[in-house]
Amino acid sequence: MSDSLLIFTFSPIQSFIAEARRAQDLFMGSRILSRLAEAAGKAIGERNLVYPADLHNDAPNVLVACIPEDQISSIITKVNAAMEAVWNRYVDDARKSIEKFNMQTDDTWDEIWERQTKPFWQVYWATAPIKDNDYKAAYTTVRDTLDAVKRSRLFDAGKAEDGRKDSLSGKRAALHTRDYPDARKYWAHETDPKITKIFASKVHPFGKEMLDAIGAVKRFSDNEPFLSTSSIAAADYLLRVKANAPIALGKYRDELRGQFSEGNKIFEPREESDPDWPFDGDLLYMETLTTKKLKDDYGVEADKGKLDLCRKKLGEIYFAPLLENPKEKIGEPPKYYAILVMDGDNMGKHIDDLLKLDDPKTAHKDFSVAIGKFSDRAPSIITREFLIYNGGDDVLCLLPLVYALPLAQKLTNEFKKLTGNNASAGIAISHHQSSLDAALGAAREAEKEAKKVDGKNAVCIHALKRSGETLKVRSAWDGVRENFDALVKMFKADELSSRFAYDTKQSAYAVPVGGEMWQAELKRLITRHRDDKTGPDPLKLSGQLNNWTTALPGQSAEELSNWLILARFIAQGGGE
């Protein structure tokens, strides 16, 4: 019996992942979808897969395989059963966890749960026989057929649900009971700090968060924890504190333990993962340590006197000297973090080129192996504690601000090295207490903008400043690689004043494009704003920046000035 080519996919993907208010929601949404895809791949048979080459990393939601023609129906049946079994395990884990917290449930609650936890995805697949060993013809036929099926298939939005909507999707009814038909009152009761064991790290109290069944699966299923956006923003800072002021950190930690003792914790403990700092990164920010903040956000009635002691101990960390430069203090943690989205460039075209080769099936498989090697390497570049998704040619991660661009460059360089293909990245910079879904949307939009740069191999950054304005920059990687890190260091060391970036912005209105006039203006501004002793050479730096300008989209001087403003922003840890 001859083989058939199968392409299998399912949806929704982005919308399911984007239903997130916390990093943990984002991580679990991605993890669930990856496990569903992995189950589908195993049901198809790993030895049958062309893409991905294996299932060692996060499985992509598109699978390509060569399968016996007479087994198509049985394999698809196995795929559906395997995916449903994985989903049901997550659902059952969440329900058991909810029962451990003694949450009130009844027939009304159960009806919502059963309705909303039915398999939520739609499956799309197509096959074609590989006649006369013509892999190219089969692949082209299946791809075109699948595209047509996806375009023509109507999405069943289902019946609109009554009542207050959940906090993650804003579309489905939040869980509630007959005694508490108002979901806000139900969740306020179930998360009341005086009677519940549900920490604020799981669900915000006072009805500020209301979960539907899918949101509850993301929050309550037995899963590995993921760092909060506050912990990510402060991650590099925490390493610096441990290296320079371990005694001060220990004293602050012990003071917090005394304040937030057993039964009065605002965060679930992380003793096993980090005994030196078993708390969320939010407690490294002075603005967290107010009675109002702790009451409103975490339901904690904090004693002002004890809280003042905590603030004093935290202040001692801020004013502790750096070992390599005792005149410089550790200071406060950065308030911004980054979301990085990386994606291979022109992947469809590359597959088309492979199909033209003498042995397209082997070429396609070899390319899948190369992509798999990149996925194997990614965790050594982006540590797993920051990785949301790492599969195929896609990477999604949350990073400390100072890590974002350097690690994005390393990822794209490694992708090029292992696959021979370029990759582009979108980065959103966001305040650690700002909306996660807005930041994720900005990162996705930045990725799309990077893909519009001629020749791609580019990066686009959207910095969502709390002041309200969004700073947007784009560039091919070459210009960033040659200039940006050096600019950040110059601003950080005060070799260039902050005014240089903003005065360059003003000059860009008069000299809008790169060239001799722009280089002369840059030289004048560098001379004016550099440190006379340690500052850069005006002629050399103006030449480098002018060359970068001429390579930017539209040879835009304003685009360069925005990159300078971003460099200054990162140098100050997100300082406005």
Side-chain angles (χ1 to χ4, degrees):
M1 181 63 66
S2 62
D3 278 351
S4 284
L5 185 75
L6 165 72
I7 300 182
F8 172 92
T9 187
F10 64 99
S11 66
I13 300 297
Q14 298 302 341
S15 61
F16 183 80
I17 294 173
E19 291 177 1
R21 286 172 61 97
R22 305 178 181 208
Q24 181 71 34
D25 301 331
L26 186 63
F27 174 75
M28 278 306 299
S30 176
R31 178 54 54 92
I32 288 169
L33 293 177
S34 179
R35 293 295 176 262
L36 291 174
E38 179 184 3
K42 288 181 177 179
I44 290 170
E46 198 165 350
R47 69 182 183 280
N48 296 325
L49 291 174
V50 176
Y51 176 79
D54 56 55
L55 299 170
H56 295 164
N57 298 292
D58 293 333
N61 73 305
V62 177
L63 307 174
V64 181
C66 292
I67 60 176
E69 191 172 354
D70 62 344
Q71 295 181 24
I72 294 174
S73 179
S74 63
I75 285 176
I76 294 300
T77 299
K78 290 178 182 178
V79 166
N80 288 326
M83 293 176 70
E84 190 166 341
V86 167
W87 172 244
N88 286 338
R89 282 199 293 273
Y90 279 108
V91 171
D92 292 343
D93 283 344
R95 187 63 188 263
K96 290 176 182 177
S97 179
I98 286 170
E99 290 172 355
K100 290 179 182 178
F101 285 110
N102 295 319
M103 290 181 63
Q104 291 188 23
T105 63
D106 62 8
D107 292 344
T108 298
W109 195 100
D110 288 340
E111 188 278 325
I112 299 171
W113 181 268
E114 293 299 324
R115 181 179 74 243
Q116 293 179 344
T117 56
K118 291 178 180 178
F120 59 86
W121 58 89
Q122 289 186 318
V123 164
Y124 304 90
W125 59 275
T127 64
I130 305 175
K131 296 179 180 179
D132 301 323
N133 206 32
D134 193 342
Y135 181 85
K136 174 184 177 181
Y139 185 91
T140 303
T141 298
V142 173
R143 182 182 59 190
D144 293 346
T145 301
L146 189 62
D147 287 344
V149 169
K150 291 173 68 175
R151 285 195 302 269
S152 63
R153 189 163 180 176
L154 296 176
F155 175 70
D156 181 11
K159 182 181 178 181
E161 299 187 3
D162 296 330
R164 289 187 184 272
K165 301 302 184 283
D166 70 292
S167 299
L168 271 62
S169 77
K171 300 174 183 177
R172 297 180 293 271
L175 291 162
H176 59 270
T177 62
R178 190 182 305 106
D179 290 341
Y180 287 97
D182 185 327
R184 189 174 301 282
K185 292 182 179 179
Y186 169 76
W187 283 99
H189 177 267
E190 295 303 313
T191 58
D192 186 339
K194 296 178 181 178
I195 62 175
T196 186
K197 294 182 179 179
I198 301 176
F199 295 128
S201 57
K202 183 73 72 176
V203 184
H204 272 313
F206 309 121
K208 290 185 177 181
E209 282 190 315
M210 302 172 290
L211 303 180
D212 72 325
I214 291 178
V217 169
K218 291 181 179 181
R219 291 283 177 91
F220 287 92
S221 59
D222 187 16
N223 56 71
E224 58 185 286
F226 194 85
L227 296 175
S228 70
T229 54
S230 297
S231 293
I232 291 167
D236 183 66
Y237 174 83
L238 182 58
L239 292 177
R240 194 159 72 249
V241 171
K242 289 179 179 180
N244 291 275
I247 295 176
L249 180 65
K251 289 180 178 179
Y252 177 49
R253 175 200 63 212
D254 294 342
E255 194 66 50
L256 287 172
R257 280 178 172 152
Q259 171 71 281
F260 307 117
S261 57
E262 189 66 38
N264 191 30
K265 289 193 178 87
I266 58 174
F267 300 105
E268 292 177 283
R270 299 171 57 230
E271 300 280 357
E272 294 181 3
S273 60
D274 190 354
D276 293 328
W277 181 252
F279 302 106
D280 190 277
D282 205 22
L283 285 170
L284 292 169
Y285 295 89
M286 193 68 75
E287 55 264 34
T288 303
L289 300 179
T290 67
T291 54
K292 186 178 188 306
K293 174 79 171 175
L294 294 175
K295 171 71 174 177
D296 291 349
D297 287 3
Y298 305 109
V300 171
E301 297 282 358
D303 178 88
K304 187 178 183 305
K306 292 182 178 180
L307 201 56
D308 286 343
L309 289 175
C310 290
R311 292 173 63 85
K312 180 181 178 182
K313 296 299 182 184
L314 180 56
E316 290 174 0
I317 293 176
Y318 290 177
F319 287 98
L322 294 175
L323 296 180
E324 68 271 19
N325 183 8
K327 293 183 179 180
E328 186 177 346
K329 308 304 179 186
I330 290 177
E332 299 180 15
K335 292 181 172 62
Y336 286 80
Y337 73 100
I339 298 181
L340 166 64
V341 182
M342 193 215 81
D343 182 57
D345 290 338
N346 302 315
M347 297 297 284
K349 181 180 182 302
H350 190 77
I351 297 298
D352 287 341
D353 290 341
L354 296 178
L355 294 177
K356 298 174 184 177
L357 300 178
D358 292 339
D359 188 354
K361 178 182 176 181
T362 299
H364 193 178
K365 180 77 172 185
D366 289 345
F367 187 53
S368 297
V369 170
I371 292 174
K373 289 180 179 178
F374 167 74
S375 295
D376 289 339
R377 282 280 297 138
S380 66
I381 298 172
I382 308 287
T383 57
R384 290 194 180 276
E385 65 177 347
F386 299 136
L387 271 173
I388 296 287
Y389 177 81
N390 168 41
D393 62 318
D394 296 321
V395 174
L396 172 62
C397 56
L398 276 60
L399 296 166
L401 179 58
V402 294
Y403 292 2
L405 259 176
L407 293 186
Q409 290 181 57
K410 288 183 179 180
L411 279 175
T412 53
N413 289 345
E414 193 69 16
F415 188 80
K416 175 71 173 181
K417 174 184 174 182
L418 293 174
T419 71
N421 230 49
N422 289 325
S424 294
I427 297 173
I429 297 172
S430 179
H431 193 279
H432 71 106
Q433 291 184 330
S434 293
S435 167
L436 176 63
D437 58 347
L440 180 61
R444 297 286 187 196
E445 184 61 32
E447 179 199 8
K448 292 178 183 177
E449 291 297 315
K451 297 286 189 179
K452 295 178 182 178
V453 174
D454 290 343
K456 301 185 178 69
N457 188 32
V459 60
C460 177
I461 302 174
H462 289 186
L464 311 179
K465 295 185 178 182
R466 263 215 152 174
S467 58
E469 62 177 317
T470 297
L471 180 65
K472 300 180 180 181
V473 294
R474 287 190 302 166
S475 175
W477 272 117
D478 288 344
V480 177
R481 190 177 298 112
E482 294 167 2
N483 298 284
F484 192 78
D485 286 349
L487 287 168
V488 171
K489 291 176 182 177
M490 290 177 198
F491 282 120
K492 192 168 186 177
D494 290 325
E495 294 173 1
L496 281 173
S497 75
S498 295
R499 287 305 317 166
F500 171 62
Y502 294 100
D503 284 358
T504 303
K505 180 90 168 179
Q506 292 298 318
S507 294
Y509 293 116
V511 188
V513 296
E516 291 183 7
M517 290 181 62
W518 180 237
Q519 182 171 346
E521 179 62 8
L522 286 170
K523 181 182 176 183
R524 182 185 73 82
L525 292 173
I526 293 167
T527 301
R528 178 181 178 184
H529 291 292
R530 76 185 186 107
D531 183 279
D532 290 337
K533 294 181 179 179
T534 62
D537 176 66
L539 180 61
K540 181 179 179 181
L541 182 58
S542 64
Q544 291 172 340
L545 295 181
N546 182 56
N547 289 339
W548 188 11
T549 304
T550 59
L552 289 170
Q555 300 185 29
S556 170
E558 183 179 7
E559 186 84 53
L560 176 75
S561 70
N562 287 337
W563 276 103
L564 295 174
I565 292 171
L566 179 66
R568 174 255 178 207
F569 180 79
I570 292 177
Q572 296 190 354
E576 299 287 348

